Amino acid sequence: MSAALLDRFPEVDPRDPAAILAAARAAIDGRIVFTTSFGLEDQVITHLIAEAGLTIDIATIDTGRLFAETYEVWARTEERYGLRIRSVHPDAEDLSALLATQGVNGFYDSVAARKSCCDTRKVVPLGHLLAGAVAWVTGLRADQSGSRAEVSPWSRDETRGLLKVSPLAAWSRAEAVAFADGHDVPRNTLHAQGFLSIGCAPCTRAVAPGEPERAGRWWWEEEAGGECGLHVTADGRLVRAAARPEIPA
């Protein structure tokens, strides 16, 4: 795409997620995929996409180990917005090989084992979801954790060759909660029980008052609240902001 087109993106208010999504859809030719895990931020984005009627695919990764409450809000979301959310799942042979190697709960044994499980259940299926896409919409917020502090609405995912759009990057959790309250956005009931960031059931716990938002993720590891691999580069770094992201044609 031309430099003139790239110049359009910084003009969008970074605190206006609806405008960010609309600008992305207007400027980008080709398929845009939003991947949801049905957490607070993702539910806000689903609402914005559905209410605006944007042609952005909404999809999810069903790891096979999600909370029952996640499936419940999945169903309520489809009913609320009159849509079907596409799902992908771990490859059966890959999953069988993983379990044969580390056992059903072997991810607790080491960081390497946990990352292997995340790779099989999340990262590889994500590749299937994003195949043929030009841009990827995510629910990342800059204040979710220290490792995400530099997240911006526009970045370049070099690993996948995609524009990465994070429309809530500049929002706080309180702002997302207020929006959901004001727009009847379906929410996972686990949020009210202290589960601020929700992933797979065996890898997520509620957080105590004062703990970081993502402290409940992979809580048994020395550095709790890390990343599963969806948003990191091959060398383990979180994908950072790009001042002028190169948008693939």
Side-chain angles (χ1 to χ4, degrees), residues 182-194:
H183 294 83
D184 190 30
V185 175
R187 273 173 282 181
N188 194 318
T189 56
L190 289 173
H191 288 317
Q193 300 174 40

Side-chain angles (χ1 to χ4, degrees), residues 10-239:
E11 296 173 1
V12 180
D13 183 351
R15 295 189 51 78
D16 187 342
I20 291 169
L21 289 166
R25 183 62 284 176
I28 298 168
D29 292 325
R31 182 167 167 254
I32 302 177
V33 177
F34 166 50
T35 53
T36 176
S37 60
F38 303 101
L40 171 64
E41 297 80 12
D42 292 340
Q43 291 297 94
V44 169
I45 293 172
T46 294
H47 176 91
L48 293 171
I49 292 172
E51 290 297 294
L54 298 175
T55 54
I56 295 175
D57 294 347
I58 303 175
T60 192
I61 301 168
D62 183 352
T63 66
R65 302 210 67 172
L66 302 179
F67 286 94
E69 290 86 348
T70 299
Y71 293 108
E72 189 272 336
V73 76
W74 180 348
R76 283 196 290 122
T77 300
E78 291 189 330
E79 181 179 1
R80 165 75 167 83
Y81 299 107
L83 49 78
R84 283 286 179 261
I85 295 171
R86 179 190 171 196
S87 64
V88 293
H89 309 79
D91 177 81
E93 291 186 4
D94 289 348
L95 190 56
S96 293
L98 176 76
L99 297 183
T101 299
Q102 63 176 225
V104 67
N105 284 338
F107 48 81
Y108 289 129
D109 294 341
S110 69
V111 174
R114 192 271 292 174
K115 289 184 176 180
S116 180
C117 185
C118 287
D119 187 67
T120 298
R121 293 182 183 274
K122 292 184 175 183
V123 179
V124 173
L126 176 68
H128 298 316
L129 273 183
L130 297 180
V134 176
W136 174 24
V137 177
T138 81
L140 296 177
R141 293 189 354 260
D143 73 344
Q144 285 173 325
S145 67
S147 64
R148 296 184 174 187
E150 296 179 31
V151 168
S152 78
W154 314 103
S155 61
R156 171 79 173 171
D157 189 316
E158 297 293 348
T159 301
R160 300 178 179 90
L162 298 169
L163 174 69
K164 196 169 184 178
V165 183
S166 301
L168 297 186
W171 274 25
S172 67
R173 183 178 186 86
E175 288 173 304
V177 168
F179 183 93
D181 285 344
H183 294 83
D184 190 30
V185 175
R187 273 173 282 181
N188 194 318
T189 56
L190 289 173
H191 288 317
Q193 300 174 40
F195 290 78
L196 302 187
S197 177
I198 303 170
C200 291
C203 300
T204 310
R205 66 162 173 80
V207 301
E211 279 192 307
E213 189 170 327
R214 289 177 60 81
R217 304 295 293 274
W218 311 290
W219 40 267
W220 66 92
E221 295 179 0
E222 184 175 343
E223 185 180 349
E227 298 289 340
C228 63
L230 297 183
H231 300 288
V232 298
T233 59
D235 60 3
R237 295 181 299 108
L238 189 74
V239 176

